[in-house]
Amino acid sequence: MVSNNLEINNLHASVILDDETEKGILNGVDLTIKPGEIHAIMGPNGSGKSTLAYSLAGHPKYNITSGSISLAGTDLTNETPDVRSRAGLFLSMQSPAEVDGISMINFLRTARQAHNNETGEKLVLTSFMKEVGQAYSDLEIDDSFKSRSVNVGFSGGEKKRHEILQMKLLKPKFIILDEVDSGLDVDALRIISREVLSYAKENNAGLLIITHYNRILEEITPDFVHVFAEGKIKKSGDKEFAKELEKTGYDNWVNN
Amino acid sequence: MCVRTTIESTPKSDRDYYILISDKKTAFADIILDSNNDDIKYEIYDTNNFKILINLNTPNVNVNVYALYLASNSSAKLHTIVNHNAPDCTSFVHAKGALTGSKARTSWIGDVHISPNASGTSTNEKNENLVLTPGAKAVSVPNLEILTGEILGARHSSSITNFDDEQLFYLTSRGISETAAKSMIVGGFFDSIISKFPAGTAIENVRKTIENEFIK
Ligand SMILES: Nc1ncnc2c1ncn2[C@@H]1O[C@H](COP(=O)(O)OP(=O)(O)OP(=O)(O)O)[C@@H](O)[C@H]1O
Ligand SMILES: [Mg+2]
């Protein structure tokens, strides 16, 4: 039977440094996320959470040295980022890049067109523009942002809202949120949580939330909470585990 | 083409110049210059080596120079000279260059001279270079000489940046293929210059050159 899960098996990855040497970061990550499940990962700074997120998305700076990633039975371990995205993986980034000279709307349309080419679904411009307009109003962003260069000069919160806007328009099966809650004001956190949760519920999407705070987990209740340290998952629990972690810190999970 | 006026209160006249430099002759074909005008002189040493001299001898003239140079494992040189000899003129030189291939070399020299009687001058020089391949080298030299204390403004900026892999990752992580993403990024870099060029110029050839030589 072919599963619809996101499967991460014994994943080892290293970062390629500027002098071309490599530094091992992930030391055997095992995680299965089923459609509709909500997982949270918490862990100390520098433990490799973003490295996990980037490795899942196929960032060329990170080298998967062993283990595998598969989505709905398709092996993605050696695939390029665009293939992974079109296969249904979406990463909301901790610090999204700015790209000058490309308007947000042109970017959104090109990305969506690439996804539609994969499914064979025709992109009707008028209905897509309506969808974009709806997404802007759902995320409570002024739609004058459509004509601005991708992320250029956006505030931290505006960038995060646009990450979630892209999520809505690209319709992924699995969503990784890398610190989507960091630096957000209360309203933005509420809006983003609401949009992520309703999207995941309506589309039965799997969710991996990387965070330092319980706030977002009060809005989006996780089914599983994992503590991540030294490049791997050290222990897993339910939502109560997140509260315990916030109280006790990570000392129990770090060896050195 | 050049409207001259000595009356302070009238709007400034506009003269725009467009320069394309590449070792592809087709791309070079369309320098739009007003050859009957004594205030402008240019020298072409080779298809990829160009000098333009603009003398602002009449008050209240506003001149813009939009230049684009491409070096694909080759060299490209541009020298722009703007002499502010009369009061109340403005000049804007915006030059963008892109380099691909480890042997690519470019240089831009931008001289702006503001003479003692050129009070009320406003000048801005902007040079930006995009390096797509390690080993390619861009040189950027703005020279500003100001001989009067009564100018409105004199600015210059130059930048040499490497192609940003983080931008490429960002676009590809949204499902856009690497080739298409690269094309968008390089196109985005040139957009602020290309969008200024009038239709029917060699722009289509430039786009093709960019597509063929700079994005693969
Ligand atoms: N591109 C890189 N160049 C050099 N070192 C890197 C790079 N990416 C990650 N690292 C190193 O790998 C380790 C893990 O970094 P990572 O960003 O994955 O941590 P994190 O768990 O996301 O931390 P935080 O909670 O601060 O976001 C750190 O020691 C970091 O310095
Ligand atoms: Mg991180």
Side-chain angles (χ1 to χ4, degrees):
Chain A
M1 199 193 85
V2 179
S3 84
N4 283 316
N5 304 344
L6 175 67
E7 309 252 8
I8 306 165
N9 289 312
N10 196 24
L11 196 69
H12 288 73
S14 55
V15 58
I16 302 164
L17 301 172
D18 288 339
D19 62 4
E20 312 266 309
T21 61
E22 293 191 16
K23 178 182 158 198
I25 311 275
L26 300 185
N27 297 311
V29 180
D30 283 299
L31 183 63
T32 297
I33 304 179
K34 294 186 181 135
E37 278 183 358
I38 301 174
H39 292 243
I41 282 186
M42 304 180 91
N45 293 132
S47 57
K49 303 181 300 298
S50 291
T51 301
L52 173 63
Y54 280 136
S55 301
L56 293 174
H59 196 300
K61 245 194 189 155
Y62 299 88
N63 185 15
I64 296 176
T65 48
S66 69
S68 67
I69 301 159
S70 70
L71 197 161
T74 307
D75 186 6
L76 295 179
T77 317
N78 298 311
E79 293 295 352
T80 51
D82 56 317
V83 173
R84 298 180 195 216
S85 166
R86 296 196 301 268
L89 206 62
F90 182 87
L91 169 61
S92 165
M93 297 189 206
Q94 191 172 350
S95 34
E98 303 187 357
V99 195
D100 207 5
I102 302 173
S103 69
M104 203 70 209
I105 189 68
N106 182 17
F107 165 57
L108 294 171
R109 191 167 62 97
T110 310
R112 175 63 173 272
Q113 182 70 62
H115 281 256
N116 279 30
N117 290 349
E118 192 86 4
T119 57
E121 191 193 332
K122 195 167 178 293
L123 185 67
V124 181
L125 204 55
T126 49
S127 51
F128 178 64
M129 290 308 286
K130 262 191 210 139
E131 230 181 289
V132 171
Q134 185 60 48
Y136 267 91
S137 85
D138 289 346
L139 280 142
E140 304 183 25
I141 317 171
D142 193 291
D143 73 358
S144 62
F145 276 89
K146 280 192 295 204
S147 51
R148 284 178 58 176
S149 284
V150 174
N151 291 330
V152 177
F154 291 16
S155 75
E158 287 162 354
K159 282 181 182 165
K160 295 295 172 72
R161 287 185 202 221
H162 276 90
E163 292 293 282
I164 302 311
L165 179 120
Q166 290 167 51
M167 176 204 77
K168 286 183 70 119
L169 294 170
L170 298 180
K171 308 188 188 308
K173 296 190 185 94
F174 286 90
I175 300 149
I176 305 149
L177 304 174
D178 190 3
E179 295 202 23
V180 75
D181 52 338
S182 292
L184 289 189
D185 65 38
V186 277
D187 289 334
L189 181 66
R190 178 181 50 78
I191 292 159
I192 281 180
S193 303
R194 177 190 73 206
E195 292 306 312
V196 168
L197 192 60
S198 69
Y199 176 86
K201 288 274 170 280
E202 280 162 29
N203 297 280
N204 200 31
L207 206 53
L208 179 62
I209 304 172
I210 298 171
T211 182
H212 289 295
Y213 308 106
N214 263 286
R215 263 310 309 272
I216 190 169
L217 303 181
E218 282 158 17
E219 309 266 351
I220 310 175
T221 312
D223 302 306
F224 304 94
V225 174
H226 312 280
V227 58
F228 197 92
E230 296 166 339
K232 65 202 302 189
I233 290 170
K234 297 273 181 152
K235 195 189 168 185
S236 304
D238 60 10
K239 65 179 200 294
E240 296 307 318
F241 187 41
K243 290 185 186 136
E244 189 189 317
L245 282 171
E246 204 165 58
K247 269 200 219 95
T248 60
Y250 302 118
D251 281 355
N252 294 341
W253 314 104
V254 183
N255 286 324
N256 45 19
Chain B
M1 190 146 162
C2 162
V3 182
R4 293 167 189 235
T5 171
T6 50
I7 303 163
E8 284 279 346
S9 58
T10 54
K12 299 202 172 192
S13 55
D14 274 303
R15 298 190 312 201
D16 293 346
Y17 301 110
Y18 310 92
I19 304 169
L20 306 170
I21 298 179
S22 100
D23 53 353
K24 303 283 169 294
K25 285 194 171 62
T26 46
F28 183 66
D30 255 40
I31 306 162
I32 301 169
L33 292 175
D34 181 1
S35 52
N36 295 324
N37 189 338
D38 286 341
D39 294 343
I40 168 139
K41 294 191 172 52
Y42 57 96
E43 289 169 42
I44 302 169
Y45 306 108
D46 203 345
T47 52
N48 59 349
N49 191 351
F50 189 80
K51 181 160 126 181
I52 180 168
L53 167 73
I54 294 166
N55 285 315
L56 294 166
N57 294 327
T58 316
N60 271 297
V61 172
N62 174 18
V63 63
N64 298 313
V65 178
Y66 301 105
L68 190 158
Y69 50 89
L70 308 171
S72 166
N73 250 330
S74 59
S75 78
K77 286 183 184 170
L78 173 64
H79 189 174
T80 56
I81 303 163
V82 180
N83 290 323
H84 280 266
N85 299 324
D88 303 321
C89 292
T90 67
S91 65
F92 177 46
V93 176
H94 195 180
K96 281 194 173 189
L99 301 86
T100 185
S102 60
K103 294 197 189 78
R105 300 286 180 269
T106 63
S107 87
W108 170 78
I109 301 171
D111 297 334
V112 174
H113 174 88
I114 303 171
S115 70
N117 61 329
S119 58
T121 290
S122 177
T123 178
N124 187 5
E125 291 191 284
K126 201 169 167 188
N127 178 229
E128 295 163 272
N129 298 280
L130 180 64
V131 179
L132 286 113
T133 318
K137 284 191 178 62
V139 173
S140 175
V141 186
N143 292 317
L144 194 55
E145 190 184 16
I146 307 173
L147 301 177
T148 170
E150 293 161 61
I151 59 163
L152 288 180
R155 295 197 297 161
H156 64 83
S157 64
S158 47
S159 65
I160 298 169
T161 45
N162 293 320
F163 185 81
D164 186 352
D165 292 331
E166 292 302 324
Q167 293 181 340
L168 188 63
F169 170 66
Y170 191 70
L171 298 192
T172 55
S173 80
R174 295 333 186 203
I176 300 169
S177 73
E178 185 171 328
T179 323
K182 228 175 162 181
S183 164
M184 288 171 81
I185 294 167
V186 177
F189 172 75
F190 285 122
D191 186 60
S192 57
I193 295 284
I194 289 185
S195 62
K196 293 286 191 308
F197 278 69
T201 61
I203 274 307
E204 273 318 304
N205 289 324
V206 173
R207 284 193 209 278
K208 278 199 198 96
T209 304
I210 292 171
E211 201 68 35
N212 296 336
E213 307 278 331
F214 288 79
I215 304 145
K216 40 170 193 302

